[in-house]
Amino acid sequence: MSEIVEKDIMDIIRELKERGLDYSDEVFLITGGAGFLGSWLSELLVKLGSKVICIDNLATGKLSFIKHLLNFDNFKFIKGDVTRGVPKIDTSYDYVIHMASRASPDDYMRYPVETALANALGAYYTLELVRKNDAVYLLTSTSEVYGDAEVVPTPETYWGRVNPIGVRACYDEGKRFSEALAMSYYREYGLDVRISRIFNSYGPRLRGDGAYGRVVTRFILQALENKPLTVHGDGLQTRSFTYVKDTILAHALLLKCERCRGEVINIGNNKETTIIELAKLILELTNSKSRIVYTKPREDDPRRRKPDISKARKLLSWNPQTSLREGLKKTIEWYRRGYK
Ligand code: UDP
């Protein structure tokens, strides 16, 4: 178990307690609960005294992220694939959180059908479950729904500019469909639905290996192994990187936010960084001798991505607290200590 993760989780718990929020004795179902964000959320809720049922097919998630939670009576892991439905167990749920999906472009482009269905069918099966349980539904969506946005910083009211038949469509349109379906259940059946749109979250447990690797952790691994950092295209494309502790705190708040019923909320850092700046910062912080190499640009790669977070500020009283430098230092340290 990693001290870095444990300390961040304790900080989140302290903040939630200060706000007087109580999660104990509530039952949560989390699809994708062994993934990067899923395992953080599972760990947080288990330590807050909730009962957590985690479903994951381990396509990108890892048992090592949740192994230590198996010792807790209030945590249960079921290996299952949401494209085939939600495994039936004799429990009623207070909250259902649908997070299961591949999220790395190189990875989802290898499995586009599975990715589209994990989002679309996964949303359908979990929403049906919520209908039967009268639970709160949280869908974790993505900044990808905005595609190559022409309005930056991008507010939730922007409709997006997405290529519906492009190589990223399995993910972009998969998420857009799951948002549309969740809102349809909200309108037709009055379900208590909340949707987050997550902007490039990173931190310990974000995979950096092979096709699973997202840019932050891929660069960190490359730098630590003194291999070239592979910048796609000119490196002037931007992302707004959000440290996982900030992302997870926002989601814990969203679960308890009464005013957020039927709302979609951007969760991200409002500091925009170019990929080349990121590469240079990682080289500096790792003291690496790696070179930077420029590789061919990714198809349909969004040029700029930066959220307008006024809605999250207002509804959740939340602000990202962790600077990129600080978050990178923790992530680098996690990888240096040999965690993967
Ligand atoms: N990227 C890069 N080199 C890599 C991986 C990614 O330059 O080895 C760039 C990618 O082209 C994109 C950004 O980093 O502009 C973020 O990529 P990531 O795979 O993390 O996911 P995305 O934000 O595109 O969903």
PDB file of all heavy atoms in Angstrom, residues 103-106 108 143-144 168 171 200 213-216 218-219 222 229-233 235 237-239 241 275 278 295 297-298 301-302 305, ligand 1:
ATOM      1  N   ALA A 103      -9.655   4.441 -21.234  1.00  0.00           N
ATOM      2  CA  ALA A 103      -9.627   5.908 -21.382  1.00  0.00           C
ATOM      3  C   ALA A 103      -8.403   6.407 -22.140  1.00  0.00           C
ATOM      4  O   ALA A 103      -8.335   7.583 -22.495  1.00  0.00           O
ATOM      5  CB  ALA A 103      -9.692   6.567 -20.008  1.00  0.00           C
ATOM      6  N   SER A 104      -7.448   5.520 -22.377  1.00  0.00           N
ATOM      7  CA  SER A 104      -6.235   5.952 -23.070  1.00  0.00           C
ATOM      8  C   SER A 104      -6.453   5.846 -24.584  1.00  0.00           C
ATOM      9  O   SER A 104      -6.806   4.768 -25.084  1.00  0.00           O
ATOM     10  CB  SER A 104      -5.062   5.058 -22.660  1.00  0.00           C
ATOM     11  OG  SER A 104      -3.982   5.278 -23.527  1.00  0.00           O
ATOM     12  N   PRO A 105      -6.241   6.945 -25.328  1.00  0.00           N
ATOM     13  CA  PRO A 105      -6.511   6.894 -26.772  1.00  0.00           C
ATOM     14  C   PRO A 105      -5.834   5.718 -27.489  1.00  0.00           C
ATOM     15  O   PRO A 105      -6.483   4.987 -28.240  1.00  0.00           O
ATOM     16  CB  PRO A 105      -5.996   8.239 -27.279  1.00  0.00           C
ATOM     17  CG  PRO A 105      -6.130   9.154 -26.096  1.00  0.00           C
ATOM     18  CD  PRO A 105      -5.871   8.302 -24.890  1.00  0.00           C
ATOM     19  N   ASP A 106      -4.535   5.485 -27.216  1.00  0.00           N
ATOM     20  CA  ASP A 106      -3.853   4.378 -27.908  1.00  0.00           C
ATOM     21  C   ASP A 106      -4.517   3.041 -27.582  1.00  0.00           C
ATOM     22  O   ASP A 106      -4.534   2.128 -28.392  1.00  0.00           O
ATOM     23  CB  ASP A 106      -2.369   4.305 -27.500  1.00  0.00           C
ATOM     24  CG  ASP A 106      -1.560   5.444 -28.096  1.00  0.00           C
ATOM     25  OD1 ASP A 106      -2.035   6.063 -29.069  1.00  0.00           O
ATOM     26  OD2 ASP A 106      -0.451   5.716 -27.587  1.00  0.00           O
ATOM     27  N   TYR A 108      -7.907   2.609 -26.365  1.00  0.00           N
ATOM     28  CA  TYR A 108      -9.283   2.431 -26.854  1.00  0.00           C
ATOM     29  C   TYR A 108      -9.342   2.305 -28.375  1.00  0.00           C
ATOM     30  O   TYR A 108     -10.247   1.692 -28.912  1.00  0.00           O
ATOM     31  CB  TYR A 108     -10.276   3.437 -26.265  1.00  0.00           C
ATOM     32  CG  TYR A 108     -10.102   4.923 -26.530  1.00  0.00           C
ATOM     33  CD1 TYR A 108     -10.173   5.454 -27.806  1.00  0.00           C
ATOM     34  CD2 TYR A 108      -9.964   5.818 -25.453  1.00  0.00           C
ATOM     35  CE1 TYR A 108     -10.065   6.822 -28.024  1.00  0.00           C
ATOM     36  CE2 TYR A 108      -9.851   7.183 -25.663  1.00  0.00           C
ATOM     37  CZ  TYR A 108      -9.890   7.687 -26.957  1.00  0.00           C
ATOM     38  OH  TYR A 108      -9.791   9.037 -27.171  1.00  0.00           O
ATOM     39  N   SER A 143     -13.868  15.361 -20.719  1.00  0.00           N
ATOM     40  CA  SER A 143     -13.678  16.557 -21.553  1.00  0.00           C
ATOM     41  C   SER A 143     -13.683  16.193 -23.036  1.00  0.00           C
ATOM     42  O   SER A 143     -13.866  17.056 -23.891  1.00  0.00           O
ATOM     43  CB  SER A 143     -12.340  17.204 -21.204  1.00  0.00           C
ATOM     44  OG  SER A 143     -11.300  16.241 -21.243  1.00  0.00           O
ATOM     45  N   GLU A 144     -13.482  14.908 -23.342  1.00  0.00           N
ATOM     46  CA  GLU A 144     -13.507  14.455 -24.742  1.00  0.00           C
ATOM     47  C   GLU A 144     -14.848  14.724 -25.414  1.00  0.00           C
ATOM     48  O   GLU A 144     -14.923  14.768 -26.638  1.00  0.00           O
ATOM     49  CB  GLU A 144     -13.245  12.950 -24.810  1.00  0.00           C
ATOM     50  CG  GLU A 144     -11.803  12.565 -24.656  1.00  0.00           C
ATOM     51  CD  GLU A 144     -11.013  12.687 -25.953  1.00  0.00           C
ATOM     52  OE1 GLU A 144     -11.611  12.670 -27.046  1.00  0.00           O
ATOM     53  OE2 GLU A 144      -9.792  12.831 -25.858  1.00  0.00           O
ATOM     54  N   ARG A 168     -11.438   8.358 -32.572  1.00  0.00           N
ATOM     55  CA  ARG A 168     -11.710   8.574 -31.144  1.00  0.00           C
ATOM     56  C   ARG A 168     -13.195   8.457 -30.826  1.00  0.00           C
ATOM     57  O   ARG A 168     -13.594   8.576 -29.668  1.00  0.00           O
ATOM     58  CB  ARG A 168     -11.223   9.975 -30.713  1.00  0.00           C
ATOM     59  CG  ARG A 168      -9.748  10.196 -30.904  1.00  0.00           C
ATOM     60  CD  ARG A 168      -9.364  11.635 -30.594  1.00  0.00           C
ATOM     61  NE  ARG A 168      -9.174  11.862 -29.185  1.00  0.00           N
ATOM     62  CZ  ARG A 168      -7.980  12.012 -28.592  1.00  0.00           C
ATOM     63  NH1 ARG A 168      -6.888  11.969 -29.289  1.00  0.00           N
ATOM     64  NH2 ARG A 168      -7.899  12.220 -27.306  1.00  0.00           N
ATOM     65  N   TYR A 171     -14.879   6.377 -28.009  1.00  0.00           N
ATOM     66  CA  TYR A 171     -14.823   6.936 -26.656  1.00  0.00           C
ATOM     67  C   TYR A 171     -15.664   8.202 -26.550  1.00  0.00           C
ATOM     68  O   TYR A 171     -16.559   8.307 -25.712  1.00  0.00           O
ATOM     69  CB  TYR A 171     -13.366   7.212 -26.292  1.00  0.00           C
ATOM     70  CG  TYR A 171     -13.154   7.639 -24.863  1.00  0.00           C
ATOM     71  CD1 TYR A 171     -13.410   6.770 -23.813  1.00  0.00           C
ATOM     72  CD2 TYR A 171     -12.677   8.914 -24.565  1.00  0.00           C
ATOM     73  CE1 TYR A 171     -13.205   7.166 -22.490  1.00  0.00           C
ATOM     74  CE2 TYR A 171     -12.462   9.308 -23.247  1.00  0.00           C
ATOM     75  CZ  TYR A 171     -12.732   8.438 -22.223  1.00  0.00           C
ATOM     76  OH  TYR A 171     -12.524   8.834 -20.915  1.00  0.00           O
ATOM     77  N   ASN A 200      -8.290  15.401 -17.969  1.00  0.00           N
ATOM     78  CA  ASN A 200      -6.924  14.873 -17.786  1.00  0.00           C
ATOM     79  C   ASN A 200      -6.445  14.783 -16.340  1.00  0.00           C
ATOM     80  O   ASN A 200      -5.543  15.507 -15.925  1.00  0.00           O
ATOM     81  CB  ASN A 200      -5.933  15.694 -18.624  1.00  0.00           C
ATOM     82  CG  ASN A 200      -6.104  15.399 -20.100  1.00  0.00           C
ATOM     83  OD1 ASN A 200      -7.048  15.896 -20.724  1.00  0.00           O
ATOM     84  ND2 ASN A 200      -5.244  14.577 -20.657  1.00  0.00           N
ATOM     85  N   GLY A 213      -0.657   3.848 -21.506  1.00  0.00           N
ATOM     86  CA  GLY A 213      -0.008   5.016 -20.946  1.00  0.00           C
ATOM     87  C   GLY A 213      -0.626   6.333 -21.405  1.00  0.00           C
ATOM     88  O   GLY A 213      -0.752   6.583 -22.593  1.00  0.00           O
ATOM     89  N   ARG A 214      -0.977   7.156 -20.439  1.00  0.00           N
ATOM     90  CA  ARG A 214      -1.407   8.529 -20.719  1.00  0.00           C
ATOM     91  C   ARG A 214      -0.174   9.411 -20.677  1.00  0.00           C
ATOM     92  O   ARG A 214       0.847   9.040 -20.107  1.00  0.00           O
ATOM     93  CB  ARG A 214      -2.439   8.993 -19.679  1.00  0.00           C
ATOM     94  CG  ARG A 214      -3.647   8.091 -19.568  1.00  0.00           C
ATOM     95  CD  ARG A 214      -4.448   8.056 -20.860  1.00  0.00           C
ATOM     96  NE  ARG A 214      -5.015   9.345 -21.221  1.00  0.00           N
ATOM     97  CZ  ARG A 214      -6.137   9.845 -20.698  1.00  0.00           C
ATOM     98  NH1 ARG A 214      -6.817   9.152 -19.812  1.00  0.00           N
ATOM     99  NH2 ARG A 214      -6.594  11.028 -21.074  1.00  0.00           N
ATOM    100  N   VAL A 215      -0.300  10.617 -21.219  1.00  0.00           N
ATOM    101  CA  VAL A 215       0.915  11.388 -21.466  1.00  0.00           C
ATOM    102  C   VAL A 215       1.760  11.634 -20.210  1.00  0.00           C
ATOM    103  O   VAL A 215       2.979  11.469 -20.241  1.00  0.00           O
ATOM    104  CB  VAL A 215       0.607  12.698 -22.228  1.00  0.00           C
ATOM    105  CG1 VAL A 215      -0.152  13.697 -21.369  1.00  0.00           C
ATOM    106  CG2 VAL A 215       1.875  13.332 -22.740  1.00  0.00           C
ATOM    107  N   VAL A 216       1.132  12.003 -19.095  1.00  0.00           N
ATOM    108  CA  VAL A 216       1.914  12.361 -17.903  1.00  0.00           C
ATOM    109  C   VAL A 216       2.768  11.185 -17.441  1.00  0.00           C
ATOM    110  O   VAL A 216       3.989  11.299 -17.266  1.00  0.00           O
ATOM    111  CB  VAL A 216       0.987  12.816 -16.747  1.00  0.00           C
ATOM    112  CG1 VAL A 216       1.777  12.998 -15.465  1.00  0.00           C
ATOM    113  CG2 VAL A 216       0.273  14.109 -17.115  1.00  0.00           C
ATOM    114  N   ARG A 218       3.357   8.327 -18.990  1.00  0.00           N
ATOM    115  CA  ARG A 218       4.238   7.791 -20.023  1.00  0.00           C
ATOM    116  C   ARG A 218       5.554   8.570 -20.038  1.00  0.00           C
ATOM    117  O   ARG A 218       6.636   7.982 -20.054  1.00  0.00           O
ATOM    118  CB  ARG A 218       3.575   7.868 -21.400  1.00  0.00           C
ATOM    119  CG  ARG A 218       4.398   7.138 -22.439  1.00  0.00           C
ATOM    120  CD  ARG A 218       3.787   7.204 -23.804  1.00  0.00           C
ATOM    121  NE  ARG A 218       2.574   6.412 -23.923  1.00  0.00           N
ATOM    122  CZ  ARG A 218       1.850   6.330 -25.039  1.00  0.00           C
ATOM    123  NH1 ARG A 218       2.216   7.004 -26.106  1.00  0.00           N
ATOM    124  NH2 ARG A 218       0.779   5.586 -25.099  1.00  0.00           N
ATOM    125  N   PHE A 219       5.449   9.894 -19.975  1.00  0.00           N
ATOM    126  CA  PHE A 219       6.673  10.719 -19.944  1.00  0.00           C
ATOM    127  C   PHE A 219       7.491  10.426 -18.673  1.00  0.00           C
ATOM    128  O   PHE A 219       8.712  10.386 -18.714  1.00  0.00           O
ATOM    129  CB  PHE A 219       6.332  12.212 -19.990  1.00  0.00           C
ATOM    130  CG  PHE A 219       5.943  12.738 -21.366  1.00  0.00           C
ATOM    131  CD1 PHE A 219       5.586  14.078 -21.526  1.00  0.00           C
ATOM    132  CD2 PHE A 219       5.958  11.923 -22.492  1.00  0.00           C
ATOM    133  CE1 PHE A 219       5.234  14.592 -22.787  1.00  0.00           C
ATOM    134  CE2 PHE A 219       5.602  12.424 -23.756  1.00  0.00           C
ATOM    135  CZ  PHE A 219       5.239  13.764 -23.894  1.00  0.00           C
ATOM    136  N   GLN A 222       9.277   7.175 -19.178  1.00  0.00           N
ATOM    137  CA  GLN A 222      10.348   7.360 -20.165  1.00  0.00           C
ATOM    138  C   GLN A 222      11.531   8.092 -19.525  1.00  0.00           C
ATOM    139  O   GLN A 222      12.681   7.707 -19.700  1.00  0.00           O
ATOM    140  CB  GLN A 222       9.823   8.132 -21.384  1.00  0.00           C
ATOM    141  CG  GLN A 222       8.854   7.314 -22.240  1.00  0.00           C
ATOM    142  CD  GLN A 222       8.135   8.134 -23.319  1.00  0.00           C
ATOM    143  OE1 GLN A 222       7.989   9.360 -23.195  1.00  0.00           O
ATOM    144  NE2 GLN A 222       7.668   7.472 -24.370  1.00  0.00           N
ATOM    145  N   LEU A 229      11.560  11.052 -24.618  1.00  0.00           N
ATOM    146  CA  LEU A 229      10.167  11.424 -24.393  1.00  0.00           C
ATOM    147  C   LEU A 229       9.521  11.656 -25.756  1.00  0.00           C
ATOM    148  O   LEU A 229      10.011  12.478 -26.542  1.00  0.00           O
ATOM    149  CB  LEU A 229      10.074  12.698 -23.530  1.00  0.00           C
ATOM    150  CG  LEU A 229      10.005  12.473 -22.018  1.00  0.00           C
ATOM    151  CD1 LEU A 229      11.204  11.701 -21.514  1.00  0.00           C
ATOM    152  CD2 LEU A 229       9.858  13.781 -21.265  1.00  0.00           C
ATOM    153  N   THR A 230       8.443  10.937 -26.024  1.00  0.00           N
ATOM    154  CA  THR A 230       7.812  10.948 -27.351  1.00  0.00           C
ATOM    155  C   THR A 230       6.715  12.005 -27.421  1.00  0.00           C
ATOM    156  O   THR A 230       5.576  11.765 -27.023  1.00  0.00           O
ATOM    157  CB  THR A 230       7.200   9.567 -27.625  1.00  0.00           C
ATOM    158  OG1 THR A 230       6.382   9.209 -26.490  1.00  0.00           O
ATOM    159  CG2 THR A 230       8.263   8.499 -27.824  1.00  0.00           C
ATOM    160  N   VAL A 231       7.059  13.177 -27.928  1.00  0.00           N
ATOM    161  CA  VAL A 231       6.056  14.243 -28.079  1.00  0.00           C
ATOM    162  C   VAL A 231       5.385  14.085 -29.450  1.00  0.00           C
ATOM    163  O   VAL A 231       6.053  14.082 -30.470  1.00  0.00           O
ATOM    164  CB  VAL A 231       6.726  15.626 -27.958  1.00  0.00           C
ATOM    165  CG1 VAL A 231       5.768  16.733 -28.371  1.00  0.00           C
ATOM    166  CG2 VAL A 231       7.206  15.846 -26.526  1.00  0.00           C
ATOM    167  N   HIS A 232       4.066  13.944 -29.446  1.00  0.00           N
ATOM    168  CA  HIS A 232       3.345  13.794 -30.712  1.00  0.00           C
ATOM    169  C   HIS A 232       3.118  15.158 -31.359  1.00  0.00           C
ATOM    170  O   HIS A 232       2.655  16.096 -30.693  1.00  0.00           O
ATOM    171  CB  HIS A 232       1.983  13.138 -30.493  1.00  0.00           C
ATOM    172  CG  HIS A 232       2.058  11.742 -29.944  1.00  0.00           C
ATOM    173  ND1 HIS A 232       3.114  10.904 -30.134  1.00  0.00           N
ATOM    174  CD2 HIS A 232       1.166  11.027 -29.194  1.00  0.00           C
ATOM    175  CE1 HIS A 232       2.895   9.747 -29.551  1.00  0.00           C
ATOM    176  NE2 HIS A 232       1.713   9.796 -28.952  1.00  0.00           N
ATOM    177  N   GLY A 233       3.418  15.236 -32.665  1.00  0.00           N
ATOM    178  CA  GLY A 233       3.181  16.487 -33.396  1.00  0.00           C
ATOM    179  C   GLY A 233       4.150  17.559 -32.941  1.00  0.00           C
ATOM    180  O   GLY A 233       5.295  17.287 -32.571  1.00  0.00           O
ATOM    181  N   GLY A 235       3.832  19.445 -30.266  1.00  0.00           N
ATOM    182  CA  GLY A 235       3.879  19.575 -28.802  1.00  0.00           C
ATOM    183  C   GLY A 235       3.220  20.850 -28.297  1.00  0.00           C
ATOM    184  O   GLY A 235       3.267  21.152 -27.105  1.00  0.00           O
ATOM    185  N   GLN A 237       0.003  21.424 -28.618  1.00  0.00           N
ATOM    186  CA  GLN A 237      -1.357  21.132 -28.150  1.00  0.00           C
ATOM    187  C   GLN A 237      -1.358  21.202 -26.618  1.00  0.00           C
ATOM    188  O   GLN A 237      -0.327  20.972 -25.985  1.00  0.00           O
ATOM    189  CB  GLN A 237      -1.841  19.763 -28.660  1.00  0.00           C
ATOM    190  CG  GLN A 237      -1.157  18.527 -28.102  1.00  0.00           C
ATOM    191  CD  GLN A 237       0.078  18.117 -28.879  1.00  0.00           C
ATOM    192  OE1 GLN A 237       0.811  18.959 -29.379  1.00  0.00           O
ATOM    193  NE2 GLN A 237       0.343  16.826 -28.961  1.00  0.00           N
ATOM    194  N   THR A 238      -2.512  21.543 -26.052  1.00  0.00           N
ATOM    195  CA  THR A 238      -2.560  21.739 -24.593  1.00  0.00           C
ATOM    196  C   THR A 238      -3.523  20.764 -23.911  1.00  0.00           C
ATOM    197  O   THR A 238      -4.456  20.253 -24.533  1.00  0.00           O
ATOM    198  CB  THR A 238      -3.027  23.165 -24.235  1.00  0.00           C
ATOM    199  OG1 THR A 238      -4.414  23.293 -24.584  1.00  0.00           O
ATOM    200  CG2 THR A 238      -2.214  24.231 -24.933  1.00  0.00           C
ATOM    201  N   ARG A 239      -3.265  20.562 -22.631  1.00  0.00           N
ATOM    202  CA  ARG A 239      -4.191  19.871 -21.746  1.00  0.00           C
ATOM    203  C   ARG A 239      -4.167  20.625 -20.414  1.00  0.00           C
ATOM    204  O   ARG A 239      -3.232  21.381 -20.133  1.00  0.00           O
ATOM    205  CB  ARG A 239      -3.770  18.416 -21.501  1.00  0.00           C
ATOM    206  CG  ARG A 239      -3.816  17.509 -22.754  1.00  0.00           C
ATOM    207  CD  ARG A 239      -5.228  17.291 -23.246  1.00  0.00           C
ATOM    208  NE  ARG A 239      -5.320  16.351 -24.352  1.00  0.00           N
ATOM    209  CZ  ARG A 239      -5.267  16.701 -25.643  1.00  0.00           C
ATOM    210  NH1 ARG A 239      -5.092  17.968 -25.994  1.00  0.00           N
ATOM    211  NH2 ARG A 239      -5.403  15.788 -26.579  1.00  0.00           N
ATOM    212  N   PHE A 241      -4.039  19.649 -16.670  1.00  0.00           N
ATOM    213  CA  PHE A 241      -3.803  18.448 -15.873  1.00  0.00           C
ATOM    214  C   PHE A 241      -4.273  18.635 -14.434  1.00  0.00           C
ATOM    215  O   PHE A 241      -3.926  19.616 -13.774  1.00  0.00           O
ATOM    216  CB  PHE A 241      -2.317  18.083 -15.912  1.00  0.00           C
ATOM    217  CG  PHE A 241      -1.847  17.767 -17.306  1.00  0.00           C
ATOM    218  CD1 PHE A 241      -1.072  18.675 -18.021  1.00  0.00           C
ATOM    219  CD2 PHE A 241      -2.206  16.568 -17.925  1.00  0.00           C
ATOM    220  CE1 PHE A 241      -0.661  18.392 -19.316  1.00  0.00           C
ATOM    221  CE2 PHE A 241      -1.789  16.285 -19.214  1.00  0.00           C
ATOM    222  CZ  PHE A 241      -1.011  17.196 -19.915  1.00  0.00           C
ATOM    223  N   ILE A 275       2.072  20.346 -24.238  1.00  0.00           N
ATOM    224  CA  ILE A 275       2.705  19.037 -24.038  1.00  0.00           C
ATOM    225  C   ILE A 275       4.226  19.194 -23.964  1.00  0.00           C
ATOM    226  O   ILE A 275       4.891  18.499 -23.182  1.00  0.00           O
ATOM    227  CB  ILE A 275       2.275  18.068 -25.166  1.00  0.00           C
ATOM    228  CG1 ILE A 275       0.749  17.849 -25.100  1.00  0.00           C
ATOM    229  CG2 ILE A 275       3.012  16.741 -25.082  1.00  0.00           C
ATOM    230  CD1 ILE A 275       0.203  17.387 -23.757  1.00  0.00           C
ATOM    231  N   LEU A 278       5.077  20.299 -20.511  1.00  0.00           N
ATOM    232  CA  LEU A 278       4.970  19.145 -19.608  1.00  0.00           C
ATOM    233  C   LEU A 278       6.229  18.289 -19.700  1.00  0.00           C
ATOM    234  O   LEU A 278       6.805  17.900 -18.668  1.00  0.00           O
ATOM    235  CB  LEU A 278       3.731  18.313 -19.982  1.00  0.00           C
ATOM    236  CG  LEU A 278       3.591  17.008 -19.199  1.00  0.00           C
ATOM    237  CD1 LEU A 278       3.126  17.268 -17.768  1.00  0.00           C
ATOM    238  CD2 LEU A 278       2.610  16.053 -19.890  1.00  0.00           C
ATOM    239  N   THR A 295       7.247  12.872 -32.642  1.00  0.00           N
ATOM    240  CA  THR A 295       6.693  11.750 -33.412  1.00  0.00           C
ATOM    241  C   THR A 295       5.457  12.245 -34.159  1.00  0.00           C
ATOM    242  O   THR A 295       5.013  13.379 -33.946  1.00  0.00           O
ATOM    243  CB  THR A 295       6.312  10.599 -32.464  1.00  0.00           C
ATOM    244  OG1 THR A 295       5.397  11.115 -31.499  1.00  0.00           O
ATOM    245  CG2 THR A 295       7.522  10.041 -31.746  1.00  0.00           C
ATOM    246  N   PRO A 297       1.823  13.263 -35.380  1.00  0.00           N
ATOM    247  CA  PRO A 297       0.670  13.659 -34.551  1.00  0.00           C
ATOM    248  C   PRO A 297      -0.401  12.573 -34.538  1.00  0.00           C
ATOM    249  O   PRO A 297      -0.511  11.800 -35.490  1.00  0.00           O
ATOM    250  CB  PRO A 297       0.126  14.910 -35.248  1.00  0.00           C
ATOM    251  CG  PRO A 297       0.836  15.031 -36.544  1.00  0.00           C
ATOM    252  CD  PRO A 297       1.983  14.082 -36.578  1.00  0.00           C
ATOM    253  N   ARG A 298      -1.165  12.544 -33.450  1.00  0.00           N
ATOM    254  CA  ARG A 298      -2.285  11.605 -33.368  1.00  0.00           C
ATOM    255  C   ARG A 298      -3.457  12.126 -34.180  1.00  0.00           C
ATOM    256  O   ARG A 298      -3.719  13.334 -34.170  1.00  0.00           O
ATOM    257  CB  ARG A 298      -2.749  11.514 -31.923  1.00  0.00           C
ATOM    258  CG  ARG A 298      -2.388  10.239 -31.278  1.00  0.00           C
ATOM    259  CD  ARG A 298      -3.099  10.158 -29.948  1.00  0.00           C
ATOM    260  NE  ARG A 298      -2.333   9.302 -29.060  1.00  0.00           N
ATOM    261  CZ  ARG A 298      -2.296   9.453 -27.754  1.00  0.00           C
ATOM    262  NH1 ARG A 298      -2.948  10.441 -27.178  1.00  0.00           N
ATOM    263  NH2 ARG A 298      -1.620   8.614 -27.017  1.00  0.00           N
ATOM    264  N   ASP A 301      -6.437  14.659 -32.738  1.00  0.00           N
ATOM    265  CA  ASP A 301      -5.977  15.051 -31.396  1.00  0.00           C
ATOM    266  C   ASP A 301      -6.477  16.473 -31.092  1.00  0.00           C
ATOM    267  O   ASP A 301      -6.137  17.410 -31.813  1.00  0.00           O
ATOM    268  CB  ASP A 301      -4.438  15.030 -31.401  1.00  0.00           C
ATOM    269  CG  ASP A 301      -3.837  15.004 -30.003  1.00  0.00           C
ATOM    270  OD1 ASP A 301      -4.604  15.056 -29.030  1.00  0.00           O
ATOM    271  OD2 ASP A 301      -2.598  14.934 -29.918  1.00  0.00           O
ATOM    272  N   PRO A 302      -7.297  16.674 -30.061  1.00  0.00           N
ATOM    273  CA  PRO A 302      -7.753  18.039 -29.759  1.00  0.00           C
ATOM    274  C   PRO A 302      -6.569  18.981 -29.511  1.00  0.00           C
ATOM    275  O   PRO A 302      -5.620  18.615 -28.833  1.00  0.00           O
ATOM    276  CB  PRO A 302      -8.582  17.859 -28.488  1.00  0.00           C
ATOM    277  CG  PRO A 302      -9.015  16.435 -28.514  1.00  0.00           C
ATOM    278  CD  PRO A 302      -7.896  15.678 -29.171  1.00  0.00           C
ATOM    279  N   ARG A 305      -7.322  22.109 -24.580  1.00  0.00           N
ATOM    280  CA  ARG A 305      -8.325  21.607 -23.642  1.00  0.00           C
ATOM    281  C   ARG A 305      -8.135  22.300 -22.300  1.00  0.00           C
ATOM    282  O   ARG A 305      -7.120  22.143 -21.646  1.00  0.00           O
ATOM    283  CB  ARG A 305      -8.177  20.101 -23.499  1.00  0.00           C
ATOM    284  CG  ARG A 305      -9.354  19.471 -22.859  1.00  0.00           C
ATOM    285  CD  ARG A 305      -9.182  18.002 -22.697  1.00  0.00           C
ATOM    286  NE  ARG A 305      -9.442  17.228 -23.884  1.00  0.00           N
ATOM    287  CZ  ARG A 305      -8.975  15.995 -24.050  1.00  0.00           C
ATOM    288  NH1 ARG A 305      -8.200  15.452 -23.142  1.00  0.00           N
ATOM    289  NH2 ARG A 305      -9.275  15.320 -25.132  1.00  0.00           N
TER     290      ARG A 305
HETATM  291  N1  UDP B   1       0.955  12.679 -26.197  1.00  0.00           N
HETATM  292  C1  UDP B   1       2.269  12.808 -26.599  1.00  0.00           C
HETATM  293  N2  UDP B   1       3.092  11.734 -26.449  1.00  0.00           N
HETATM  294  C2  UDP B   1       2.675  10.541 -25.926  1.00  0.00           C
HETATM  295  C3  UDP B   1       1.339  10.432 -25.503  1.00  0.00           C
HETATM  296  C4  UDP B   1       0.495  11.515 -25.656  1.00  0.00           C
HETATM  297  O1  UDP B   1       2.685  13.866 -27.087  1.00  0.00           O
HETATM  298  O2  UDP B   1       3.488   9.612 -25.833  1.00  0.00           O
HETATM  299  C5  UDP B   1       0.045  13.851 -26.351  1.00  0.00           C
HETATM  300  C6  UDP B   1      -1.197  13.490 -27.156  1.00  0.00           C
HETATM  301  O3  UDP B   1      -0.945  13.661 -28.537  1.00  0.00           O
HETATM  302  C7  UDP B   1      -2.201  14.481 -26.593  1.00  0.00           C
HETATM  303  C8  UDP B   1      -1.781  14.665 -25.144  1.00  0.00           C
HETATM  304  O4  UDP B   1      -0.428  14.214 -25.070  1.00  0.00           O
HETATM  305  O5  UDP B   1      -2.113  15.709 -27.266  1.00  0.00           O
HETATM  306  C9  UDP B   1      -2.610  13.890 -24.153  1.00  0.00           C
HETATM  307  O6  UDP B   1      -2.613  12.536 -24.523  1.00  0.00           O
HETATM  308  P1  UDP B   1      -3.229  11.379 -23.626  1.00  0.00           P
HETATM  309  O7  UDP B   1      -2.869  10.067 -24.279  1.00  0.00           O
HETATM  310  O8  UDP B   1      -2.814  11.520 -22.220  1.00  0.00           O
HETATM  311  O9  UDP B   1      -4.816  11.538 -23.687  1.00  0.00           O
HETATM  312  P2  UDP B   1      -5.874  12.606 -24.244  1.00  0.00           P
HETATM  313  O10 UDP B   1      -5.816  13.805 -23.384  1.00  0.00           O
HETATM  314  O11 UDP B   1      -5.557  12.922 -25.681  1.00  0.00           O
HETATM  315  O12 UDP B   1      -7.152  11.874 -24.129  1.00  0.00           O
END
